[in-house]
Amino acid sequence: MTSVRSTVHLLPMLVTALFTYRTKAADLFVGPQERFRAIGAALNAAETGDRILVRPGAYREPIVWPDTQGLALVAEKGPDQTSIVGNGRDPVIHMDGKLKWDTRIEGFSIRGGGAGNAPGRFGAGLNIVGASPTVRNCRITANAARPYRGTGGIFLRDSRAVIEHNEISGNRYQSEKLHAGGICVWGGMPKIRFNRIEDNKGDDERYFTRGAGIRLSGSKALVTGNVVRNNVSTSVGAALYAEQGDRSAVFGNEFSGNRNTGGTAGAVAVAFA
């Protein structure tokens, strides 16, 4: 009888151990001397709530974000020393699904991406569809979309993302159809705040481009505290172009030096019926 009772008493302990095996999030390190040498490999190995800390370096890999909730991808030394470099064809980072604000990307230079070469891949720098991450303190630059097929910097569709304190500059696009140089928003309710959006261009005269800085369509975005300057389009709305029916709140931004090469006025333009 003593032996039976001891076995019974052990069962709750075993059950407890099974269900409390991992009680807190972990830090995973990426770098030449670390267990993970590629960011994508660390993301795929991470569990909910984990933080991926990336050592300085240039990581040449387009990233398809996994479905795991609450991952934080953080550059230890910031965008001057840590970059994610695309292949010129695909978005540098693609993210979809129902990921929430506690999914974070912080402190990277994101460059060398392409867009418009595959279905649903419309953002050369970041392509975010349905997901709602926080993107903070990044430099999204030198990304380019194919003619008629994409946005240079960040493309948001049906998203509640928080895009804040980033530099979005030097990206290119050549499309009039619901795309942009810096940020394009299709639907959703993202927060776009305290960014520098500058020197993005859709200046090839063969294309009728609008919204070189920001383009809004069918959304209820919050756009505030941004500096939007020196963006170039061939048509109207070089700084910001809002499509008919967009219901975004746009206030407290600085617009300067934006220009339309086609001779039309209106660095900020709103389409009406």
Side-chain angles (χ1 to χ4, degrees):
M1 292 296 292
T2 303
S3 176
V4 172
R5 283 198 300 271
S6 298
T7 302
V8 171
H9 290 164
L10 281 172
L11 284 174
M13 296 174 62
L14 289 171
V15 171
T16 301
L18 286 172
F19 284 94
T20 60
Y21 175 73
R22 194 172 187 270
T23 58
K24 64 179 182 179
D27 285 342
L28 284 67
F29 292 89
V30 179
Q33 307 302 320
E34 301 295 343
R35 174 188 171 193
F36 297 102
R37 298 188 179 185
I39 294 171
L43 285 168
N44 289 330
E47 299 182 32
T48 299
D50 284 352
R51 182 172 62 165
I52 296 92
L53 294 170
V54 182
R55 308 293 194 194
Y59 297 84
R60 301 181 181 277
E61 49 174 320
I63 292 170
V64 177
W65 201 277
D67 293 333
T68 311
Q69 292 284 355
L71 300 182
L73 180 64
V74 181
E76 281 193 326
K77 299 296 184 179
D80 290 337
Q81 298 188 42
T82 314
S83 58
I84 308 173
V85 185
N87 59 12
R89 177 179 174 82
D90 302 304
V92 181
I93 299 176
H94 169 74
M95 182 185 296
D96 58 22
K98 298 187 181 298
L99 299 170
K100 299 178 181 179
W101 293 300
D102 56 355
T103 296
R104 293 185 288 125
I105 302 170
E106 295 188 16
F108 290 90
S109 172
I110 297 171
R111 57 186 174 87
N117 296 292
R121 301 301 201 261
F122 295 122
L126 290 118
N127 190 66
I128 299 172
V129 180
S132 300
T134 296
V135 181
R136 180 184 296 133
N137 296 328
C138 289
R139 181 180 300 135
I140 298 97
T141 188
N143 302 285
R146 285 185 65 191
Y148 296 112
R149 295 190 180 181
T151 289
I154 302 174
F155 177 80
L156 301 171
R157 184 164 190 172
D158 299 327
S159 172
R160 291 174 175 253
V162 177
I163 310 294
E164 62 184 10
H165 300 290
N166 302 285
E167 176 189 324
I168 304 162
S169 64
N171 302 289
R172 298 184 69 88
Y173 78 116
Q174 310 296 348
S175 176
E176 64 178 285
K177 296 182 180 296
L178 293 178
H179 290 296
I183 300 178
C184 181
V185 181
W186 281 18
M189 299 175 65
K191 295 179 176 64
I192 300 169
R193 58 196 186 192
F194 311 120
N195 303 283
R196 286 169 49 207
I197 304 169
E198 56 190 8
D199 298 311
N200 301 287
K201 294 182 178 180
D203 58 351
D204 189 323
E205 296 293 341
R206 295 174 297 173
Y207 306 101
F208 190 71
T209 61
R210 302 166 178 166
I214 303 170
R215 190 162 185 164
L216 306 169
S217 179
S219 67
K220 297 180 181 178
L222 171 66
V223 182
T224 188
N226 303 285
V227 175
V228 186
R229 63 188 180 189
N230 300 332
N231 300 285
V232 181
S233 69
T234 62
S235 181
V236 297
L240 183 146
Y241 184 78
E243 300 284 344
Q244 177 184 340
D246 190 83
R247 299 173 63 188
S248 296
V250 181
F251 61 92
N253 302 282
E254 176 189 327
F255 299 104
S256 65
N258 303 284
R259 62 190 179 90
N260 305 306
T261 62
T264 53
V268 177
V270 179
F272 295 96

